[in-house]
Amino acid sequence: VQLQASGGGLAQAGGSLSVSCAASGLTFSIYIMGWFRQAPGKEREFIATIDRSGGSTDYADSVKGRFTISRDNAENTVCLQMNSLKPEDTASYYCAAAGPTTRRGATRTHDYQYNYWGQGTQVTVSS
């Protein structure tokens, strides 16, 4: 299984960025997907999750209303659109897969619930 994250980069506060994750080696459509982030000196933090069909999502309070998670099961990709960025959003962002699952609508918000992890992609927000 491979989860290949891309995107991110540098943005100014108030700006937008997106990160994507391409999955291979698994039946993508039966996995719950999630995004986490980790800033230097801090613990890994849950950001967003999406159920296997894309119909249910959940977000951390810190990003609710600013970030949007989406998935394309035909392309085996999951994306995180980040708007109204803040300097505190600066971190390495990781995609993860949990499953397989037969439960429609199920999401996961804890890192221990995820089986597979991609490498991080850096997001830096300047003030």
Side-chain angles (χ1 to χ4, degrees):
V1 175
Q2 279 197 323
L3 301 177
Q4 184 70 41
S6 62
L10 177 65
Q12 291 188 331
S16 298
L17 285 172
S18 64
V19 289
S20 297
C21 178
S24 60
L26 76 170
T27 306
F28 184 74
S29 61
I30 58 173
Y31 277 78
I32 297 161
M33 299 300 295
W35 284 97
F36 292 75
R37 69 186 181 190
Q38 188 167 22
K42 294 189 176 182
E43 292 187 353
R44 186 163 55 193
E45 175 188 17
F46 162 75
I47 296 301
T49 179
I50 189 165
D51 80 317
R52 63 178 207 170
S53 69
S56 294
T57 58
D58 197 5
Y59 297 90
D61 287 344
S62 59
V63 306
K64 201 170 292 183
R66 301 189 297 122
F67 290 12
T68 302
I69 188 172
S70 62
R71 67 188 295 161
D72 184 336
N73 285 348
E75 297 291 330
N76 288 5
T77 57
V78 60
C79 296
L80 185 69
Q81 176 66 39
M82 302 176 286
N83 298 328
S84 301
L85 284 163
K86 303 176 181 179
E88 51 263 43
D89 294 320
T90 296
S92 289
Y93 282 69
Y94 299 86
C95 63
T101 181
T102 58
R103 292 182 57 196
R104 292 184 182 274
T107 56
R108 299 285 184 266
T109 60
H110 299 284
D111 57 3
Y112 63 80
Q113 296 174 305
Y114 285 81
N115 315 61
Y116 303 108
W117 292 84
Q119 89 291 358
T121 186
Q122 181 67 32
V123 170
T124 302
V125 184
S126 62
S127 57

Short mmCIF file of all heavy atoms in Angstrom, two decimals, residues 49-73:
data_model
loop_
_atom_site.label_atom_id
_atom_site.label_comp_id
_atom_site.label_asym_id
_atom_site.label_seq_id
_atom_site.Cartn_x
_atom_site.Cartn_y
_atom_site.Cartn_z
N THR A 49 -11.68 13.82 8.16
CA THR A 49 -11.90 12.45 7.74
C THR A 49 -13.11 12.39 6.82
O THR A 49 -14.00 13.25 6.90
CB THR A 49 -12.09 11.52 8.95
OG1 THR A 49 -12.33 10.18 8.51
CG2 THR A 49 -13.27 11.96 9.81
N ILE A 50 -13.14 11.39 5.96
CA ILE A 50 -14.23 11.22 5.01
C ILE A 50 -14.55 9.74 4.89
O ILE A 50 -13.65 8.89 4.87
CB ILE A 50 -13.85 11.85 3.65
CG1 ILE A 50 -15.05 11.89 2.70
CG2 ILE A 50 -12.66 11.13 3.01
CD1 ILE A 50 -14.83 12.81 1.50
N ASP A 51 -15.83 9.43 4.82
CA ASP A 51 -16.22 8.02 4.74
C ASP A 51 -15.93 7.47 3.35
O ASP A 51 -15.51 8.20 2.46
CB ASP A 51 -17.69 7.86 5.11
CG ASP A 51 -18.64 8.21 3.97
OD1 ASP A 51 -18.39 9.23 3.30
OD2 ASP A 51 -19.60 7.46 3.75
N ARG A 52 -16.17 6.21 3.17
CA ARG A 52 -15.72 5.54 1.94
C ARG A 52 -16.41 6.05 0.69
O ARG A 52 -15.86 5.97 -0.39
CB ARG A 52 -15.89 4.03 2.08
CG ARG A 52 -17.32 3.58 2.25
CD ARG A 52 -17.40 2.09 2.32
NE ARG A 52 -18.70 1.60 1.86
CZ ARG A 52 -18.97 0.34 1.64
NH1 ARG A 52 -18.05 -0.58 1.85
NH2 ARG A 52 -20.16 -0.03 1.22
N SER A 53 -17.62 6.57 0.84
CA SER A 53 -18.35 7.05 -0.33
C SER A 53 -18.17 8.54 -0.57
O SER A 53 -18.51 9.05 -1.64
CB SER A 53 -19.84 6.74 -0.18
OG SER A 53 -20.40 7.54 0.84
N GLY A 54 -17.67 9.25 0.44
CA GLY A 54 -17.54 10.70 0.33
C GLY A 54 -18.75 11.44 0.83
O GLY A 54 -18.79 12.66 0.78
N GLY A 55 -19.72 10.72 1.37
CA GLY A 55 -20.96 11.36 1.80
C GLY A 55 -20.93 11.89 3.21
O GLY A 55 -21.77 12.71 3.59
N SER A 56 -19.99 11.43 4.02
CA SER A 56 -19.89 11.87 5.41
C SER A 56 -18.48 12.37 5.69
O SER A 56 -17.50 11.73 5.29
CB SER A 56 -20.21 10.72 6.37
OG SER A 56 -21.55 10.32 6.25
N THR A 57 -18.39 13.48 6.38
CA THR A 57 -17.11 14.06 6.74
C THR A 57 -17.13 14.51 8.19
O THR A 57 -18.21 14.70 8.79
CB THR A 57 -16.76 15.27 5.85
OG1 THR A 57 -17.79 16.25 5.97
CG2 THR A 57 -16.62 14.86 4.39
N ASP A 58 -15.95 14.69 8.74
CA ASP A 58 -15.82 15.22 10.09
C ASP A 58 -14.54 16.02 10.14
O ASP A 58 -13.56 15.67 9.47
CB ASP A 58 -15.81 14.08 11.12
CG ASP A 58 -16.11 14.57 12.52
OD1 ASP A 58 -16.41 15.76 12.71
OD2 ASP A 58 -16.03 13.74 13.46
N TYR A 59 -14.53 17.08 10.95
CA TYR A 59 -13.40 17.98 11.00
C TYR A 59 -13.03 18.32 12.44
O TYR A 59 -13.90 18.33 13.33
CB TYR A 59 -13.72 19.29 10.28
CG TYR A 59 -14.00 19.14 8.81
CD1 TYR A 59 -15.29 18.92 8.34
CD2 TYR A 59 -12.97 19.22 7.88
CE1 TYR A 59 -15.56 18.78 6.99
CE2 TYR A 59 -13.22 19.08 6.52
CZ TYR A 59 -14.51 18.86 6.08
OH TYR A 59 -14.77 18.72 4.74
N ALA A 60 -11.77 18.62 12.64
CA ALA A 60 -11.36 19.18 13.91
C ALA A 60 -11.95 20.58 14.04
O ALA A 60 -12.11 21.29 13.03
CB ALA A 60 -9.83 19.25 13.96
N ASP A 61 -12.25 20.98 15.26
CA ASP A 61 -12.83 22.30 15.47
C ASP A 61 -11.91 23.41 14.94
O ASP A 61 -12.39 24.44 14.49
CB ASP A 61 -13.09 22.52 16.96
CG ASP A 61 -14.27 21.71 17.47
OD1 ASP A 61 -15.07 21.23 16.65
OD2 ASP A 61 -14.38 21.55 18.69
N SER A 62 -10.61 23.17 15.00
CA SER A 62 -9.65 24.20 14.60
C SER A 62 -9.69 24.52 13.11
O SER A 62 -9.21 25.58 12.69
CB SER A 62 -8.23 23.77 14.99
OG SER A 62 -7.89 22.53 14.36
N VAL A 63 -10.26 23.62 12.31
CA VAL A 63 -10.28 23.85 10.85
C VAL A 63 -11.69 23.87 10.28
O VAL A 63 -11.87 24.13 9.09
CB VAL A 63 -9.43 22.79 10.10
CG1 VAL A 63 -8.02 22.73 10.66
CG2 VAL A 63 -10.10 21.42 10.17
N LYS A 64 -12.67 23.61 11.12
CA LYS A 64 -14.06 23.55 10.64
C LYS A 64 -14.45 24.87 10.00
O LYS A 64 -14.20 25.95 10.55
CB LYS A 64 -14.98 23.20 11.80
CG LYS A 64 -16.31 22.62 11.41
CD LYS A 64 -17.05 22.08 12.62
CE LYS A 64 -16.38 20.86 13.20
NZ LYS A 64 -17.13 20.27 14.34
N GLY A 65 -15.04 24.79 8.83
CA GLY A 65 -15.45 25.99 8.11
C GLY A 65 -14.37 26.57 7.22
O GLY A 65 -14.65 27.44 6.39
N ARG A 66 -13.14 26.10 7.38
CA ARG A 66 -12.02 26.61 6.57
C ARG A 66 -11.46 25.54 5.64
O ARG A 66 -11.03 25.84 4.53
CB ARG A 66 -10.90 27.13 7.46
CG ARG A 66 -11.30 28.24 8.40
CD ARG A 66 -10.09 28.84 9.09
NE ARG A 66 -9.39 27.88 9.95
CZ ARG A 66 -8.11 27.55 9.82
NH1 ARG A 66 -7.37 28.09 8.84
NH2 ARG A 66 -7.54 26.69 10.66
N PHE A 67 -11.45 24.30 6.09
CA PHE A 67 -10.90 23.19 5.33
C PHE A 67 -12.02 22.30 4.82
O PHE A 67 -13.05 22.12 5.48
CB PHE A 67 -9.96 22.35 6.18
CG PHE A 67 -8.66 23.01 6.56
CD1 PHE A 67 -8.44 24.36 6.38
CD2 PHE A 67 -7.63 22.25 7.13
CE1 PHE A 67 -7.25 24.96 6.73
CE2 PHE A 67 -6.43 22.82 7.49
CZ PHE A 67 -6.24 24.19 7.29
N THR A 68 -11.80 21.71 3.64
CA THR A 68 -12.76 20.78 3.05
C THR A 68 -12.04 19.54 2.55
O THR A 68 -11.10 19.65 1.76
CB THR A 68 -13.53 21.43 1.90
OG1 THR A 68 -14.20 22.61 2.36
CG2 THR A 68 -14.57 20.46 1.32
N ILE A 69 -12.49 18.39 3.02
CA ILE A 69 -11.93 17.12 2.54
C ILE A 69 -12.87 16.55 1.47
O ILE A 69 -14.10 16.66 1.58
CB ILE A 69 -11.74 16.12 3.71
CG1 ILE A 69 -10.99 14.88 3.23
CG2 ILE A 69 -13.07 15.76 4.36
CD1 ILE A 69 -10.58 13.95 4.38
N SER A 70 -12.28 15.96 0.45
CA SER A 70 -13.07 15.33 -0.61
C SER A 70 -12.29 14.13 -1.15
O SER A 70 -11.09 14.01 -0.92
CB SER A 70 -13.35 16.33 -1.73
OG SER A 70 -12.15 16.78 -2.32
N ARG A 71 -13.00 13.28 -1.86
CA ARG A 71 -12.33 12.11 -2.43
C ARG A 71 -12.91 11.80 -3.80
O ARG A 71 -14.06 12.13 -4.09
CB ARG A 71 -12.47 10.90 -1.51
CG ARG A 71 -13.87 10.35 -1.36
CD ARG A 71 -13.92 9.27 -0.29
NE ARG A 71 -13.14 8.09 -0.64
CZ ARG A 71 -12.71 7.18 0.25
NH1 ARG A 71 -12.99 7.35 1.54
NH2 ARG A 71 -12.03 6.14 -0.16
N ASP A 72 -12.10 11.14 -4.61
CA ASP A 72 -12.52 10.69 -5.92
C ASP A 72 -12.18 9.20 -6.00
O ASP A 72 -11.01 8.84 -6.17
CB ASP A 72 -11.79 11.47 -7.01
CG ASP A 72 -12.25 11.13 -8.42
OD1 ASP A 72 -12.78 10.01 -8.61
OD2 ASP A 72 -12.07 11.95 -9.31
N ASN A 73 -13.18 8.37 -5.83
CA ASN A 73 -12.92 6.93 -5.80
C ASN A 73 -12.53 6.38 -7.18
O ASN A 73 -11.92 5.31 -7.25
CB ASN A 73 -14.14 6.19 -5.27
CG ASN A 73 -14.28 6.34 -3.76
OD1 ASN A 73 -13.36 6.81 -3.07
ND2 ASN A 73 -15.44 5.99 -3.24
#
